[in-house]
Amino acid sequence: MLRKLIKYEFKATGRVFLPFFLSLLIFAVINKLISPADPEYWGFPAAISMVIYIMIMVGMFVMTTIIMLQRFYRNLLSDEGYLMFTLPTKTWKLIASKLVMSIFWIIASLAVAFLSILIIIYQKGVFMESWRLLTEGYRTIYEMIGASLYTITLEIIIGSLFTLVFGIVLVYASMAIGHLFNRHKILASFGAFIALNTLAQILFSLFCQITPGFAWPGHELYLQNMPNLITLIQVFFLYGILFTGLLSAAYFALTNYILSKKLNLE
Amino acid sequence: MSPILECHGLTKKFGSTTALSNINLQIERGQIIGLLGPNGSGKTTLLKLANELLTPTEGSIHIDGKKPGIETKKIVSYLPEKTYLNDWMRVQQIIDFFADFYDNFNPGKAYDMLKRLNIDPQDRLKTLSKGTKEKVQLILVMSREAELYLLDEPIGGVDPAARDYILETILSNYNENATMIISTHLIADIEKILDYVVFINHGQIVLTSTVDDIRDQKGKSVDALFREVFKC
């Protein structure tokens, strides 16, 4: 059932994002083609096409946020909720399908933006050169800190993903809390967003107290040793991931609880 | 076999207002039931509770012996009073959607009814008039081979000329073993298809009776009795 929900979520949102992706790539190509031409004749069109390219790029990222909000609010908390909540499926799957597609479009937008930049900066040999620099840099760090580099890279990737999930679930939970109010639902959602965000920060600072921080007697000496420092960074990342994961799960559960037990569609 | 719908001491409060108060009701299978009451009497609240769109404050509601949930949603076909159609699909796509999520949905039946009501499956839902949207929703709901149909104001938004046709559609797509609860205050239009009535007012059941009993014993039509019971 989750697979079907994701399929329809993809259909509902894809019709917005795919034209953005296509037009961004087209304008990247246009920019690439006319920028090296004679500036005397092509300066103005080149500037225009660059402005359009940037506007599409900005629009695309703004759209990821708007769609995230709109799909949750309109499809679940407005009249369309009458259809969605009477489907023979669990509420958490409705929320999860929206979360998965939101993450997908944010990552896809980043990938397309990156690709469009590559198109614009492309010159013969430039990719080979960048790739060489990148692998060389990676190897240099590897020589310094060894296999920990892999762990840290993995931690950064998972950490970014979890942070993204947390951001979206925070918004969902805020809208769910706003839904509990009879009036001024949108205002209440904003209030809930601020409250939940503040709560997350308070919990995080408490959480840091119990994790191995950078301040304990004799820590300066301990940290002068490179392997110790690397270990500490790894542990710190790990705790960060753990914290973000736990809090995301808690806010997801809160959203699920409200939409399952406290739902009150108008 | 457990009754198709059963309520015990069912109560729903919204803050300090009580929408339903201590409802006890048992609906047997194979009938068409009119859930009749004035505006704000609690009809919609009762149907929403049966669909898990609301959770009871007190008491219980069971469908086919089960609390509202995935299993009951498979056998209940619900027409809400709201238009729940999204703005990006075509009629044909919403039919695919229903076929995808409900095993008992019969697309052939849906296309047949669309044809008879002159609705083009290629039309975008966004461009349909309010009345046509209601017809599409009714078609979707009636194309499911469900055990319990819950129709909230099914004819409220359509013109009187289309009403008879829609009632006929309801009747012709309804199988004998299924049960149908129709909530409405337009009694005169719907009276002739009802087997049983439940009168509800201020969140309480006022009267339950078979339509035959009303006609035979009281010598009145349901409409006349309704006007008498709910006299302002």
Side-chain angles (χ1 to χ4, degrees):
Chain A
M1 202 54 94
L2 182 60
R3 208 174 47 81
K4 286 181 192 168
L5 288 169
I6 291 176
K7 180 177 97 182
Y8 280 98
E9 202 52 33
F10 178 82
K11 285 186 182 176
T13 49
R15 77 207 159 88
V16 178
F17 284 104
L18 297 178
F20 263 108
F21 291 175
L22 195 65
S23 46
L24 191 70
L25 293 176
I26 288 172
F27 271 88
V29 172
I30 293 174
N31 273 300
K32 179 70 207 162
L33 292 178
I34 62 177
S35 60
D38 185 357
E40 186 123 357
Y41 294 105
W42 289 98
F44 187 64
I48 294 279
S49 82
M50 186 44 101
V51 168
I52 295 175
Y53 167 80
I54 291 168
M55 278 166 58
I56 296 171
M57 173 99 83
V58 172
M60 180 176 78
F61 283 108
V62 170
M63 205 43 99
T64 58
T65 312
I66 292 177
I67 293 288
M68 170 184 70
L69 291 165
Q70 192 232 34
R71 286 300 299 165
F72 190 86
Y73 186 77
R74 200 197 275 174
N75 193 231
L76 297 181
L77 299 180
S78 307
D79 288 351
E80 286 177 36
Y82 281 89
L83 176 60
M84 300 313 289
F85 285 109
T86 48
L87 293 176
T89 183
K90 293 262 186 207
T91 302
W92 74 262
K93 291 187 181 174
L94 297 174
I95 307 167
S97 66
K98 297 196 161 20
L99 178 62
V100 167
M101 276 329 291
S102 274
I103 294 168
F104 174 81
W105 289 121
I106 290 170
I107 293 174
S109 296
L110 287 169
V112 172
F114 185 67
L115 182 63
S116 75
I117 291 170
L118 288 185
I119 292 173
I120 290 175
I121 62 166
Y122 175 77
Q123 263 165 2
K124 214 171 176 206
V126 77
F127 290 155
M128 291 297 283
E129 184 62 14
S130 329
W131 183 249
R132 200 182 56 79
L133 283 173
L134 209 66
T135 44
E136 210 165 78
Y138 205 75
R139 200 175 307 128
T140 316
I141 303 175
Y142 183 80
E143 273 157 17
M144 278 164 64
I145 65 172
S148 311
L149 179 60
Y150 297 134
T151 331
I152 292 178
T153 311
L154 190 69
E155 281 182 335
I156 288 174
I157 293 171
I158 296 175
S160 320
L161 198 64
F162 272 42
T163 310
L164 189 59
V165 169
F166 175 72
I168 298 169
V169 173
L170 173 68
V171 171
Y172 288 172
S174 308
M175 282 193 276
I177 292 174
H179 176 73
L180 294 175
F181 289 76
N182 289 329
R183 281 182 297 163
H184 310 302
K185 285 177 195 273
I186 293 177
L187 196 67
S189 300
F190 274 111
F193 181 81
I194 293 167
L196 289 179
N197 206 6
T198 313
L199 180 69
Q201 279 167 18
I202 293 170
L203 288 176
F204 186 66
S205 55
L206 286 175
F207 192 80
C208 287
Q209 304 280 317
I210 55 164
T211 62
F214 287 92
W216 71 88
H219 73 283
E220 280 128 344
L221 203 64
Y222 175 79
L223 292 178
Q224 271 167 14
N225 182 342
M226 191 63 166
N228 287 348
L229 181 64
I230 296 302
T231 310
L232 191 67
I233 290 174
Q234 285 181 48
V235 171
F236 204 74
F237 268 132
L238 190 67
Y239 273 94
I241 289 172
L242 207 66
F243 175 81
T244 323
L246 282 175
L247 203 58
S248 302
Y251 284 1
F252 188 96
L254 174 69
T255 312
N256 185 46
Y257 172 77
I258 293 174
L259 296 192
S260 315
K261 303 286 177 207
K262 302 280 172 193
L263 188 72
N264 183 15
L265 298 172
E266 298 208 340
Chain B
M1 214 178 204
S2 44
I4 190 70
L5 181 88
E6 203 174 7
C7 307
H8 282 294
L10 183 66
T11 301
K12 181 65 190 178
K13 291 179 185 166
F14 296 104
S16 56
T17 25
T18 305
L20 284 180
S21 168
N22 196 24
I23 298 271
N24 291 299
L25 187 65
Q26 192 162 327
I27 302 287
E28 299 300 335
R29 287 160 201 266
Q31 349 174 49
I32 301 184
I33 296 110
L35 179 62
L36 313 176
N39 295 321
S41 52
K43 305 189 292 286
T44 297
T45 303
L46 182 59
L47 296 185
K48 282 167 92 172
L49 283 162
N51 283 290
E52 214 197 3
L53 290 172
L54 291 173
T55 315
T57 311
E58 274 166 54
S60 66
I61 180 162
H62 286 89
I63 289 157
D64 191 25
K66 298 181 248 340
K67 276 190 171 176
I70 293 185
E71 289 311 310
T72 68
K73 286 171 187 178
K74 287 179 184 169
I75 60 164
V76 172
S77 192
Y78 169 54
L79 179 78
E81 49 168 0
K82 299 277 178 156
T83 305
Y84 57 48
L85 302 174
N86 57 57
D87 60 0
W88 60 275
M89 280 188 186
R90 293 175 190 277
V91 175
Q92 185 203 329
Q93 286 172 308
I94 193 89
I95 289 176
D96 292 345
F97 180 94
F98 266 69
D100 232 359
F101 283 101
Y102 296 110
D103 294 337
N104 56 17
F105 185 80
N106 182 346
K109 224 170 174 180
Y111 283 114
D112 202 41
M113 281 191 261
L114 285 173
K115 204 171 166 187
R116 277 190 290 154
L117 281 165
N118 287 321
I119 301 169
D120 183 355
Q122 288 305 318
D123 279 349
R124 290 191 172 277
L125 298 176
K126 187 163 58 173
T127 60
L128 302 177
S129 72
K130 192 167 181 291
T132 311
K133 280 183 183 168
E134 289 194 10
K135 287 176 194 165
V136 169
Q137 285 195 168
L138 189 70
I139 289 171
L140 291 168
V141 167
M142 293 314 300
S143 299
R144 284 183 60 197
E145 271 133 31
E147 289 179 38
L148 176 63
Y149 296 87
L150 300 174
L151 313 182
D152 200 353
E153 298 285 0
I155 54 169
V158 292
D159 54 283
R163 275 181 200 167
D164 283 340
Y165 186 80
I166 282 173
L167 289 179
E168 200 185 299
T169 311
I170 290 175
L171 278 181
S172 58
N173 287 288
Y174 161 80
N175 91 59
E176 290 289 299
N177 303 317
T179 312
M180 187 177 295
I181 300 181
I182 304 177
S183 126
T184 188
H185 55 260
L186 297 168
I187 298 161
D189 286 311
I190 222 161
E191 175 166 355
K192 57 181 179 290
I193 70 167
L194 299 179
D195 301 313
Y196 195 85
V197 292
V198 175
F199 280 15
I200 181 170
N201 198 17
H202 300 304
Q204 286 176 318
I205 306 268
V206 184
L207 180 149
T208 56
S209 168
T210 67
V211 172
D212 290 342
D213 281 352
I214 293 177
R215 291 201 190 112
D216 297 347
Q217 292 171 14
K218 301 197 167 127
K220 288 185 182 113
S221 70
V222 177
D223 192 43
L225 182 66
F226 183 86
R227 283 168 204 269
E228 194 179 293
V229 172
F230 296 111
K231 200 170 181 187
C232 295

